[in-house]
Amino acid sequence: RAQLEQTRSELSQHLAAQRDSERLMEDLDGTVSALQDRQDSLDREKRELNAKVGHMEVQLDQTRKELEGKLELEREWHSSDQRSRTELADLQQQLAAKVDALGQTQTEAYDARSQVAKLEASCAELEKGVEERAQ
């Protein structure tokens, strides 16, 4: 009878441990699912940032070409009369504004690249976490 009680107690403990294990597995499945959702979200953000970086690079190239064209015009206008010199001063102001805008665009492109790198690192950490939890 004592052996039966002990066996019954052991069986009860085993069943409780099995239920705890099943709850933990359900929690782990939920965590893995949430991590995968977050990773998908980070992947989307990364694609969006890469698209922004590409767009900024196109803008930088267009601005550079515009600036080169304006500089060529500036060289030609230096030999013209006083009216042309007045127009040149206006163009130089516009050029300075474009150069400032180019600097800002370059900074934004660098910041976007930095953000992409951070997102990639975050994705790697999430993947590592998912692998560790899956084990």
Side-chain angles (χ1 to χ4, degrees):
R1 185 172 175 97
Q3 188 178 4
L4 179 61
E5 279 300 317
Q6 183 178 351
T7 303
R8 194 177 284 158
S9 174
E10 290 172 0
L11 182 57
S12 177
Q13 290 174 357
H14 178 71
L15 288 173
Q18 186 175 355
R19 284 191 299 271
D20 289 345
S21 177
E22 288 172 357
R23 273 194 299 273
L24 287 173
M25 287 302 291
E26 288 173 3
D27 290 347
L28 181 60
D29 287 345
T31 301
V32 167
S33 177
L35 287 171
Q36 186 62 48
D37 290 346
R38 180 63 180 142
Q39 184 174 354
D40 292 345
S41 174
L42 289 172
D43 288 343
R44 274 192 305 278
E45 288 180 39
K46 178 183 172 184
R47 284 191 301 274
E48 290 170 4
L49 286 172
N50 280 332
K52 286 181 182 179
V53 166
H55 179 69
M56 288 178 184
E57 287 172 343
V58 168
Q59 286 180 325
L60 284 171
D61 191 51
Q62 289 173 344
T63 302
R64 180 188 55 78
K65 288 176 182 175
E66 288 176 14
L67 290 174
E68 288 171 351
K70 298 262 185 202
L71 287 172
E72 182 60 32
L73 286 176
E74 182 179 348
R75 287 185 201 104
E76 292 173 9
W77 286 332
H78 266 294
S79 62
S80 66
D81 64 6
Q82 184 59 39
R83 188 184 63 128
S84 294
R85 291 180 190 271
T86 302
E87 291 174 6
L88 174 61
D90 291 342
L91 285 173
Q92 287 172 329
Q93 288 176 348
Q94 292 174 16
L95 177 61
K98 291 262 184 175
V99 168
D100 288 346
L102 175 62
Q104 182 177 354
T105 303
Q106 287 173 327
T107 299
E108 290 171 359
Y110 174 80
D111 290 346
R113 284 189 187 97
S114 175
Q115 185 66 25
V116 167
K118 288 177 186 176
L119 287 173
E120 287 173 342
S122 180
C123 285
E125 288 178 24
L126 286 173
E127 289 174 357
K128 181 179 177 185
V130 168
E131 290 174 11
E132 289 174 358
R133 289 181 188 245
Q135 294 175 1

